[in-house]
């Protein structure tokens, strides 16, 4: 299953490092070639000689080794791999990665690589549960790393809980799954998806928002990811978890969202699912506006940039496919068709968001896909199914 795949295995300094030896063998059994880097801590638990004997290559340990640098070089080492696998990923390695530190060979290779990174954390349960580690994990996920989560049980330190390195068979399965995505229909295609509401601040404590939950945009981003696309999800504030395997950019206002979308260009497709606030206050107050001292009946609003319209008209940088959503409470088809013409996008996905439909915030949606000369109406289904349906339509449009 992994024939011809080159894996750079970074072995951190934890008791689970001994399992890396079995991991090397199991990856090789699947046809992969493995090259090993040991951190200083990793070399305390298993010897470079064991790693070198199993990989049939040198075990790399030292950033400043003149021979290594002359023969291989840390940049080449990090690039001559199809996947960088970190097992065990210690709390220290994760913290370094999340903060862009590069003070040894392992962290330098991780910062220098242009290849996908998969982390297999292993540590004491308290270390795993600490807010700092969970913050780092969140950062690493939104930077696009994939994580094979640790298992629960008795830890080497004698405590119970989460923190055991995932089973070697599960790590191998995750690596196989990762490479399986290369043959998926949208692999190599870059997508931007906007989702959620935007918040437009009035003062430090108040803002203008809407009822969007972000569920539809996140479901679509996940469906596109499962089709192999490289997705940048630009999301306004929501209570949803960051989907794994997408690059996640959290924004607040419409203007932040536009900047993030422009920064993610060029892309093959942009799908604007976000319920962007059309207006923001003209003069955002630096201090809380006080009742009685401020005239709330005169809150002046100015129009926000239209992200969908802007992306539809960016000239040479315009994605091949630009899709917008239309949130309507009446004349859904007609308003959707008018929006298609007004925005200059390729399709509009119109949905009825009137109160009785419970679409805003709910788990179901019924959509109409509107194109220039045609439209198709679909029955109510879950937002997850809408995501899969749209991903299939998009794939059929982009891949001839
Ligand atoms: N949109 C956007 N930027 C805005 C407003 C809307 O990118 N400032 C996008 C939405 O993400 C969606 C589409 O435009 O894809 C339509 O959004 P919708 O709220 O339905 O329509 P509006 O353009 O806001 O028009 P109206 O409020 O009059 O219905």
């Amino acid at each position: 299953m992994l024939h011809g795949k080159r894996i750079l295995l970074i072995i951190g300094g934890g008791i689970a490092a001994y399992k890396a030896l079995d991991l090397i063998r199991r990856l090789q059994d699947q046809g992969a070639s493995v090259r090993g880097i040991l951190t200083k801590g990793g070399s305390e638990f298993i010897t470079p000689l064991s790693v070198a004997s199993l990989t049939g290559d040198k075990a790399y340990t030292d950033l400043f080794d003149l021979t290594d640098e002359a023969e291989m070089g840390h940049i080449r080492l990090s690039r001559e791999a199809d996947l960088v696998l970190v097992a065990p990923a210690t709390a220290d390695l994760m913290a370094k990665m999340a903060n862009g530190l590069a003070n040894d060979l392992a962290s330098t290779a991780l910062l220098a690589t242009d290849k996908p990174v998969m982390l297999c954390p292993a540590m004491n349960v308290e270390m795993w549960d600490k807010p700092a580690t969970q913050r780092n994990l969140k950062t690493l996920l939104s930077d696009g790393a994939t994580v094979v989560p640790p298992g629960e049980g008795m830890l080497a330190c004698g405590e119970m809980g989460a923190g055991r390195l995932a089973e070697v068979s599960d790590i191998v399965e995750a690596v196989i799954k990762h490479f399986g995505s290369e043959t998926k229909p949208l692999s190599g295609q870059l997508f931007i998806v906007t989702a959620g509401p935007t918040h437009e601040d009035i003062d430090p404590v108040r803002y203008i928002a809407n009822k969007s939950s972000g569920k539809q945009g996140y479901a679509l981003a996940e469906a596109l990811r499962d089709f192999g696309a490289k997705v940048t999800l630009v999301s306004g504030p929501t209570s949803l978890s960051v989907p794994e395997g997408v690059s996640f950019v959290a924004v607040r206002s419409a203007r932040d969202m536009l900047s993030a979308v422009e920064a993610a260009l060029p892309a093959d497709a942009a799908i604007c699912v976000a319920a962007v606030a059309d207006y923001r206050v003209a003069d955002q107050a630096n201090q809380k506006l006080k009742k009685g001292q401020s005239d709330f009946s005169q809150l002046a609003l100015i129009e926000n940039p239209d992200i969908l319209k802007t992306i539809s008209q960016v000239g040479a940088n315009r994605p091949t496919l630009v899709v917008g959503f239309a949130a309507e409470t009446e004349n859904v088809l007609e308003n959707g068709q008018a929006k298609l013409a007004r925005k200059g996008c390729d399709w509009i996905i119109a949905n009825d968001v009137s109160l009785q439909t419970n679409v805003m915030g709910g788990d179901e949606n019924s959509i109409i896909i509107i194109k220039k000369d045609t439209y198709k109406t679909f029955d109510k289904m879950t937002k997850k199914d809408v995501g899969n349906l749209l991903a299939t339509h998009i794939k059929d449009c982009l891949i001839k």
Side-chain angles (χ1 to χ4, degrees):
M1 301 288 271
L2 297 174
H3 187 73
K5 300 297 178 204
R6 298 165 307 173
I7 295 170
L8 178 64
L9 176 64
I10 296 184
I11 304 167
I15 180 65
Y18 78 93
K19 294 188 185 168
L21 299 175
D22 187 30
L23 180 59
I24 293 171
R25 267 276 181 264
R26 300 283 83 84
L27 291 168
Q28 288 170 333
D29 288 348
Q30 296 291 331
S33 62
V34 183
R35 203 170 242 167
I37 291 182
L38 286 131
T39 63
K40 194 163 177 294
S43 307
E44 298 286 340
F45 287 94
I46 55 171
T47 68
L49 185 60
S50 313
V51 174
S53 306
L54 287 171
T55 59
D57 195 345
K58 213 178 133 49
Y60 297 84
T61 53
D62 190 356
L63 180 59
F64 300 110
D65 184 308
L66 286 179
T67 321
D68 284 1
E69 274 304 300
E71 285 172 3
M72 168 61 74
H74 60 276
I75 302 285
R76 220 179 99 202
L77 189 59
S78 74
R79 306 277 166 87
E80 278 189 2
D82 301 303
L83 174 72
V84 182
L85 180 63
V86 190
T90 57
D92 177 65
L93 255 181
M94 288 174 63
K96 279 184 184 163
M97 269 185 87
N99 291 287
L101 295 187
N103 61 356
D104 61 6
L105 182 59
S107 52
T108 305
L110 284 163
L111 194 61
T113 191
D114 56 356
K115 296 301 183 320
V117 175
M118 184 179 284
L119 302 171
C120 309
M123 64 197 75
N124 165 271
V125 57
E126 285 297 329
M127 293 169 80
W128 175 249
D129 284 343
K130 272 282 176 314
T133 305
Q134 291 302 314
R135 254 194 327 269
N136 291 334
L137 176 68
K138 218 167 144 198
T139 303
L140 292 167
L141 285 170
S142 51
D143 287 348
T146 45
V147 172
V148 187
E152 295 206 8
M154 179 62 83
L155 306 175
C157 53
E159 291 181 17
M160 285 290 288
R164 286 166 65 99
L165 182 72
E167 294 300 326
V168 168
S169 55
D170 291 341
I171 299 175
V172 174
E173 200 178 300
V175 172
I176 292 172
K177 195 168 156 219
H178 164 81
F179 285 114
S181 70
E182 280 187 352
T183 53
K184 290 185 176 171
L186 289 176
S187 67
Q189 302 260 342
L190 305 179
F191 275 73
I192 302 169
V193 176
T194 70
T198 61
H199 287 184
E200 309 295 333
D201 289 337
I202 299 170
D203 66 19
V205 298
R206 303 181 179 93
Y207 56 86
I208 300 172
N210 58 63
K211 293 181 181 172
S212 169
S213 63
K215 287 178 185 171
Q216 187 59 81
Y218 280 49
L220 178 58
E222 285 170 339
L224 291 166
R225 172 206 63 195
D226 291 345
F227 273 29
K230 203 166 177 326
V231 180
T232 299
L233 176 60
V234 181
S235 173
T238 76
S239 58
L240 305 175
S241 323
V242 174
E244 261 204 44
V246 307
S247 297
F248 185 80
V249 187
V251 296
R252 188 167 167 82
S253 68
R255 287 180 297 171
D256 296 343
M257 188 172 272
L258 176 61
S259 307
V261 167
E262 286 176 330
L265 287 172
D268 296 290
I271 324 288
C272 294
V273 193
V276 184
D278 292 322
Y279 295 93
R280 66 179 184 276
V281 291
D283 295 307
Q284 192 183 316
N286 291 328
Q287 303 300 333
K288 186 181 172 198
L289 298 173
K290 301 302 283 180
K291 202 163 36 179
Q293 293 168 17
S294 314
D295 186 0
F296 280 95
S297 66
Q298 296 298 325
L299 205 57
L301 299 177
I302 51 172
E303 203 168 336
N304 266 331
D306 190 315
I307 300 159
L308 176 61
K309 200 167 171 180
T310 309
I311 297 307
S312 300
Q313 299 169 5
V314 280
N317 241 356
R318 185 192 195 275
T320 310
L321 182 70
V322 181
V323 179
F325 270 61
E328 307 295 342
T329 55
E330 56 183 350
N331 306 324
V332 178
L333 177 61
E334 296 73 20
N335 284 340
Q337 285 168 325
K339 231 166 238 181
L340 179 71
R342 204 165 65 235
K343 305 268 186 175
C345 55
D346 302 299
W347 308 349
I348 279 284
I349 315 303
N351 47 12
D352 185 346
V353 294
S354 37
L355 268 185
Q356 70 276 11
T357 64
N358 194 32
V359 166
M360 279 262 181
D363 291 322
E364 293 184 320
N365 200 357
S366 41
I367 59 163
I368 310 174
I369 300 182
I370 304 174
K371 300 182 184 172
K372 195 159 168 272
D373 302 312
T374 55
Y375 69 87
K376 191 160 186 232
T377 306
F378 294 86
D379 288 339
K380 189 189 258 194
M381 58 185 106
T382 63
K383 288 186 175 174
K384 194 170 180 325
D385 286 343
V386 169
N388 289 329
L389 178 99
L390 289 177
T392 306
H393 263 72
I394 291 165
K395 173 204 61 143
D396 291 344
C397 164
L398 290 177
I399 314 289
K400 297 292 177 212

